[in-house]
Amino acid sequence: MSRKADFSKMVIDTHGCRSNRRVDKPEAKNPIQKLGSETNRYEENLKIIGECYPNKILFSQMEAAKLLGVSYQMINRYCKSGLIIWIPYGSLIKIHISEIARMLTNGVKNGNSQT
């Protein structure tokens, strides 16, 4: 007798995190929802990053680039120009989790842009 797996009660983790936990449909929450204020969006972004990377506060430039969906060169250029607040860690450049959440919420304000 063959068995069929019942996946009707499972959903994919919508945050894109690598996780072994199962999420039931009634409790699942869509992270792409309209939130009222900028503060709520910032808090939600910070929460999502914290869930994806538990116990991690500082990120390398490469990790920040992957989270933001941009190139390493762009992150490096923004760090050098002062558009991204970074922390020196020896000879390395580290970016705080709150700065990544800020960039996800507000973007990077470029003084040279013509908007």
Side-chain angles (χ1 to χ4, degrees), residues 38-47 98 101-102 105:
E38 194 172 288
T39 305
N40 289 343
R41 287 193 309 263
Y42 171 80
E43 293 296 328
E44 185 68 20
N45 287 334
L46 195 58
K47 179 182 170 189
S98 62
R102 180 194 65 81
T105 306

Side-chain angles (χ1 to χ4, degrees), residues 39-108:
T39 305
N40 289 343
R41 287 193 309 263
Y42 171 80
E43 293 296 328
E44 185 68 20
N45 287 334
L46 195 58
K47 179 182 170 189
I48 291 170
I49 296 169
E51 288 175 359
C52 291
Y53 298 93
N55 303 323
K56 187 159 181 131
I57 298 172
L58 298 176
F59 292 84
S60 70
Q61 290 179 328
M62 185 62 75
E63 291 169 330
K66 286 181 182 178
L67 277 170
L68 296 170
V70 297
S71 68
Y72 167 82
Q73 290 82 5
M74 180 181 255
I75 296 293
N76 192 22
R77 187 171 55 244
Y78 285 165
C79 285
K80 288 181 179 179
S81 67
L83 293 173
I84 295 177
I85 299 169
W86 55 277
I87 300 165
Y89 192 76
S91 62
L92 302 174
I93 291 177
K94 296 290 185 175
I95 302 170
H96 196 273
I97 189 171
S98 62
E99 184 68 4
I100 294 172
R102 180 194 65 81
M103 289 184 288
L104 281 171
T105 306
N106 302 330
V108 177

Side-chain angles (χ1 to χ4, degrees), residues 29-36 41 44:
K29 202 168 118 179
N30 185 2
I32 305 171
Q33 60 184 349
K34 292 186 179 182
L35 298 172
R41 287 193 309 263
E44 185 68 20

